[in-house]
Amino acid sequence: MGIRELLDGHGVRSVFQPIVDLDSGDVVAYEALARGPVGPLERPDLLFAAARAEGLLAELDEACRAAAFRGALASGLLAPLTLFVNVEPEVLDSAPLDDLLALAAGAPGELRVVVEITERAIAARPAELLRTVARVRELGWGVALDDVGADAMSLAFMPLLRPDVVKLDLRLVQERPGAAVAEIMHAVNAYAQESGATVLAEGIEDERHLVMARALGAHLGQGWLFGRPGPAPVAGLRTGELRLPAPPAVARFAESSPFALLPPGTALRRSPKSLLIELSKQLEREALRIGSTCVVAATFQEARHFTPATTGRYRDLVERTGFVCALGEGLPAEPLPGLRGAALDRRDAVRGEWDVVVLGPHFAVALLARDLGDSGPDARRTFEYALTYERATVVAAAHSLLSRVAPRVAAPASPALAPAPAPAPAPAPAPTAGVAGVAGAAAPDVAAAVGAAAVAAGVAGPGADASVAERVLHRVLGTTSHGVTIADVTRPDQPLVYVNAAFEALSGLRSEQVLGRNCRFLQGPDTDPAVVAQVRAAIDAGREWRGVVLNHRGPERTPWWNEIQLAPVRDADGRVVRYVGLQNDVTARVEAQRALEVERDRTRAHLRRIEDLARTDALTGLPNRRHLADRVAAALAAGDAVALLFCDLDGFKAVNDRFGHGAGDELLVVVGGRLREALPPGGLAARLGGDEFIVALTAPGGRAVLADAGEVAARLARAVADPVGLGGVDVSISASVGVAVAAPGDDVEDLLRRADEAMYERKRLHRAGSRSLPLG
């Protein structure tokens, strides 16, 4: 069945996954997830890929939302519950809502809706995204920003979109926290505190994920721990209401210029152009300091003011910040690779302004200036301006400028970078060296790949022939057994522009499925974010990188260990324009290393257990004589005061004779536990053997322990004297406790001998009827 037949036959359906209030445990919402008919198009990724290939993406997106609404109404997902629905980023501005409104209006009760917008829409279509958010707000629906943290762009755009719900990417919950997670947490919590937005954590599959979600500041949760997607609400769960912040006023920023958005009464200054240039450069430096979570928007009046010097500065901004746009009369849609542009109409009020806006999660500033129309030299022209740090004004100014940015049009792949047929890769030789050794051995292939990529990218020198470059590239890269990728780092999101057949085999995907995408699709929830951060840092700095990272293969997401070597390709000006990646599957080696580590850990654990058994009484679990002797010897050597209390059970033989050795063992275990519980802090109880126990008391610095010893001895005797139930009969025994305090020159055996003697003296006196307790 094709997509057209599927749409005509209403073959798209929705399943619903619960969203839970983590504080109350109530189900407060359901997310509608699209599914195709049972078969090859059931999975949403394959369904949307097929629609994209047939040019029916907008129609499928509309059908998915309609199915979500119909399914929600049929299942009774009405107030107080909320329905979360997605909008495909590629059709943002044309997404038809009339049919959905008709469905909502005909509902028997209130249908509460939150529209989810993914971070993929942000950089590609910012103007359309902002208009869509405004339309959704006008309908009284909420807005959720999805996959926050998957890309720094989502953090940069949060203040502009003003989402009611911030959905954390599942990797934040499931992976080990690191510096990147801390940065995301700070940005999200700052926004939530300022706006009142609710944080939702996705991917909660177990209690450990739940603990992390709460730690990240989430109040809502979604994942298999609360319920898997199904055709109807999960039965038996308590429901509640999702309380969203008061919706922000729907402002018409796009209809105003940034300067016109300055609040009434703002103090204005006058300045020549030369000062504004320096102020602008300072704001650009602030943006570089903020980095990948920063949005920069600037106006240049006319294209001629976007000079070569400006080009150099903005190239740095594109490489090191999240999003950069430049507007001016005559400026193209992409003034330089990665820089978003917009050609201003001569009648647009922005055409007469000089605006620089810098917006990040924790910093906001805008230079907003208006040309006063002076004649004379350009450098002496006068502007009226304000420099504002008031966040609402900065957000409004950024909104105004981004509403004018043209949609990004994907650049066609160079013929030299189109995939070509290649023989199936030969099995890679089993690696025998460490990461550096294997990467070093592959260096000739990397050098050839970089050289071929340089030719293909047109940077090998003037007059390079494209057909020759294509043949060189295919000959060198198509025959290697290494997976080879080439990414264009001058374009937004640094898409892949070439992959060889060996990489197709490694990734489990065809070239047409990966070209034009950032290679992060190889990552998964268990990919180490610290390693990913190292890769990003190397690319940002234009450096080579070598290492091993956990990737996932094919639609089934099978994990495999990828040994990667990345190398930059520079143009004639020294600017990095491509990155070549050489990749090998080293899963067998990594698993062997891990198995060896596990075996080593197991061996260490066995050795520790053997040592513990050698120092522990097998019956009672108390330390044995050897353990006690080591402890006392260490205390004596340190000059601590030491007392030994020798405890012998009176009446134990009668119990053994009457009830048997099993009951006697049970009695010894009970006595051992009581002695342990009666110990003062720092005391040690040990079993010497038979019915003999000993307690060691120590005090640092030679402090006297004699008084403490007498009190502890009495407490031990009382603990032993309490009746013990054996076979339904209460049995009572007593204990004779002898005490010996260490004297100068004593060793462990001296103390044991004197404590033993004191215990026998205590027995003798007891038999004689005396109640005195000699200490010595």
Side-chain angles (χ1 to χ4, degrees):
M1 178 187 295
I3 295 296
R4 174 60 67 187
E5 292 82 1
L6 186 149
L7 294 174
D8 292 342
H10 299 289
V12 178
R13 58 191 172 89
S14 284
V15 293
F16 301 93
Q17 185 172 32
I19 295 173
V20 173
D21 184 314
L22 297 182
D23 296 323
S24 66
D26 294 348
V27 174
V28 295
Y30 281 85
E31 180 179 1
L33 304 169
R35 296 289 187 270
V38 176
L41 294 180
E42 182 175 14
R43 281 179 29 190
D45 54 340
L46 300 178
L47 181 66
F48 276 83
R52 190 176 288 108
E54 294 187 29
L56 296 173
L57 190 61
E59 291 83 351
L60 175 62
D61 189 55
E62 178 186 5
C64 288
R65 283 195 302 277
F69 274 47
R70 287 195 301 269
L73 296 177
S75 301
L77 298 182
L78 304 174
L81 291 171
T82 299
L83 177 68
F84 280 60
V85 296
N86 294 273
V87 62
E88 181 62 28
E90 295 175 44
V91 296
L92 272 175
D93 202 36
S94 61
L97 297 175
D98 294 341
D99 291 345
L100 302 186
L101 290 176
L103 283 170
E110 182 186 6
L111 183 63
R112 305 182 63 194
V113 178
V114 171
V115 175
E116 291 192 34
I117 297 170
T118 126
E119 51 88 18
R120 290 183 291 126
I122 294 173
R125 309 176 72 85
E128 291 84 346
L129 176 63
L130 295 174
R131 283 197 293 271
T132 298
V133 169
R135 293 170 66 204
V136 168
R137 296 286 190 202
E138 290 172 350
L139 297 173
W141 295 350
V143 174
L145 182 58
D146 199 8
D147 297 333
V148 171
D151 191 289
M153 195 78 68
S154 56
L155 300 179
F157 270 72
M158 263 194 310
L160 291 166
L161 300 177
R162 301 290 294 180
D164 306 295
V165 179
V166 177
K167 297 189 72 174
L168 301 179
D169 184 68
L170 57 84
R171 289 185 296 179
L172 273 66
V173 170
Q174 296 182 353
E175 296 178 356
R176 186 176 67 241
V181 172
E183 180 184 26
I184 295 164
M185 179 184 175
H186 276 291
V188 169
N189 281 270
Y191 170 74
Q193 183 174 343
E194 177 266 330
S195 67
T198 300
V199 180
L200 188 159
E202 296 184 284
I204 301 176
E205 298 181 0
D206 54 37
E207 292 295 333
R208 180 174 56 86
H209 296 162
L210 178 59
V211 170
M212 179 58 70
R214 291 181 183 277
L216 290 171
H219 291 284
L220 300 177
Q222 183 177 359
W224 290 356
L225 182 63
F226 308 116
R228 301 197 178 209
V234 180
L237 297 181
R238 193 175 64 231
T239 60
E241 180 180 0
L242 172 58
R243 298 187 181 277
L244 299 177
V250 179
R252 300 293 182 183
F253 296 136
E255 301 170 4
S256 301
S257 72
F259 190 85
L261 292 170
L262 284 168
T266 300
L268 300 177
R269 308 171 188 174
R270 292 197 174 193
S271 168
K273 179 179 178 179
S274 56
L275 175 60
L276 294 187
I277 290 174
E278 296 308 316
L279 289 176
S280 300
K281 290 179 180 178
Q282 176 58 33
L283 297 194
E284 292 165 10
R285 288 190 287 270
E286 292 286 355
L288 292 172
R289 179 183 59 80
I290 298 171
S292 61
T293 60
C294 183
V295 169
V296 181
T299 62
F300 292 88
Q301 295 189 302
E302 303 174 53
R304 64 187 178 90
H305 296 313
F306 197 80
T307 64
T310 306
T311 300
R313 298 200 313 275
Y314 272 70
R315 182 179 291 118
D316 289 342
L317 286 169
V318 167
E319 292 177 353
R320 295 170 57 185
T321 63
F323 180 90
V324 190
C325 65
L327 296 79
E329 183 183 352
L331 276 176
E334 195 171 43
L336 60 89
L339 175 64
R340 305 300 302 284
L344 294 176
D345 189 280
R346 180 176 290 272
R347 295 165 295 180
D348 193 329
V350 179
R351 163 66 176 75
E353 295 186 7
W354 179 318
D355 303 315
V356 180
V357 178
V358 175
L359 180 62
H362 312 289
F363 182 83
V365 63
L367 171 64
L368 307 179
R370 179 173 58 189
D371 193 336
L372 295 179
D374 295 347
S375 59
D378 182 70
R380 296 182 184 176
R381 287 191 298 125
T382 306
F383 290 77
E384 191 173 38
Y385 82 96
L387 188 64
T388 179
Y389 297 89
E390 204 279 316
R391 190 170 187 84
T393 303
V394 176
V395 169
H399 201 296
S400 171
L401 295 180
L402 266 67
S403 296
R404 293 166 164 83
V405 173
R408 181 174 68 200
V409 178
S414 163
L417 296 176
T432 57
V435 172
V438 173
D445 282 333
V446 172
V450 172
V455 175
V459 299
D465 184 85
S467 62
V468 173
E470 183 176 2
R471 289 197 300 271
V472 170
L473 183 67
H474 292 160
R475 184 169 64 251
V476 173
L477 305 185
T479 59
T480 179
S481 61
H482 303 290
V484 178
T485 58
I486 300 177
D488 184 348
V489 296
T490 67
R491 288 163 58 183
D493 211 29
Q494 301 174 348
L496 293 175
V497 293
Y498 174 85
V499 298
N500 70 347
F503 178 79
E504 289 182 296
L506 286 173
S507 67
L509 299 171
R510 299 185 304 278
S511 60
E512 59 266 27
Q513 295 175 286
V514 300
L515 292 177
R517 298 173 63 186
N518 185 286
C519 61
R520 73 172 66 89
F521 66 83
L522 290 169
Q523 300 169 20
D526 42 1
T527 301
D528 188 346
V531 176
V532 175
Q534 292 174 15
V535 174
R536 289 175 178 168
I539 293 174
D540 290 344
R543 295 183 281 103
E544 289 191 12
W545 187 84
R546 300 175 181 179
V548 178
V549 62
L550 182 63
N551 284 162
H552 293 75
R553 177 179 291 117
E556 65 281 1
R557 308 300 290 159
T558 304
W560 63 287
W561 288 97
N562 188 357
E563 184 175 64
I564 306 174
Q565 183 177 1
L566 299 176
V569 180
R570 302 180 184 274
D571 62 12
D573 297 326
R575 186 170 65 104
V576 176
V577 293
R578 302 283 190 272
Y579 251 90
V580 175
L582 190 70
Q583 317 195 34
N584 291 296
D585 186 344
V586 293
T587 304
R589 188 188 77 198
V590 172
E591 290 180 347
Q593 290 172 340
R594 291 193 162 191
L596 180 60
E597 291 171 2
V598 169
E599 191 58 37
R600 287 172 178 167
D601 290 342
R602 185 182 294 113
T603 300
R604 294 189 189 102
H606 287 327
L607 291 174
R608 285 194 299 269
R609 178 59 178 159
I610 291 171
E611 178 66 16
D612 289 343
L613 291 174
R615 296 165 57 83
T616 304
D617 176 59
L619 177 63
T620 63
L622 293 175
N624 60 13
R625 183 186 182 108
R626 175 185 169 189
H627 189 166
L628 175 87
D630 291 345
R631 174 82 167 268
V632 172
L636 292 173
D640 294 345
V642 179
L644 292 187
L645 285 67
F646 202 117
C647 180
D648 183 80
L649 304 184
D650 299 321
F652 176 73
K653 184 177 183 301
V655 172
N656 247 352
D657 293 342
R658 179 181 175 186
F659 295 98
H661 291 287
D665 288 347
E666 183 180 347
L667 178 60
L668 292 174
V669 171
V670 172
V671 169
R674 290 180 178 179
L675 293 179
R676 184 188 291 113
E677 292 173 0
L679 287 175
L684 177 73
R687 181 181 177 221
L688 295 186
D691 61 351
E692 295 180 335
F693 297 83
I694 197 157
V695 170
L697 305 178
T698 60
R703 182 171 59 83
V705 296
L706 184 59
D708 291 344
E711 180 182 341
V712 172
R715 189 160 67 240
L716 296 178
R718 289 194 299 270
V720 173
D722 285 341
V724 177
L726 295 176
V729 178
D730 285 344
V731 174
S732 296
I733 59 172
S734 60
S736 298
V737 182
V739 178
V741 176
D746 275 349
D747 59 17
V748 177
E749 293 304 320
D750 292 334
L751 266 180
L752 283 171
R753 176 181 50 76
R754 291 198 289 111
D756 185 35
E757 292 172 351
M759 182 271 295
Y760 277 109
E761 178 63 14
R762 178 70 181 88
K763 279 184 179 291
R764 187 186 65 78
L765 293 174
H766 179 71
R767 294 191 191 101
S770 172
R771 298 188 179 273
S772 62
L773 181 62
L775 304 177

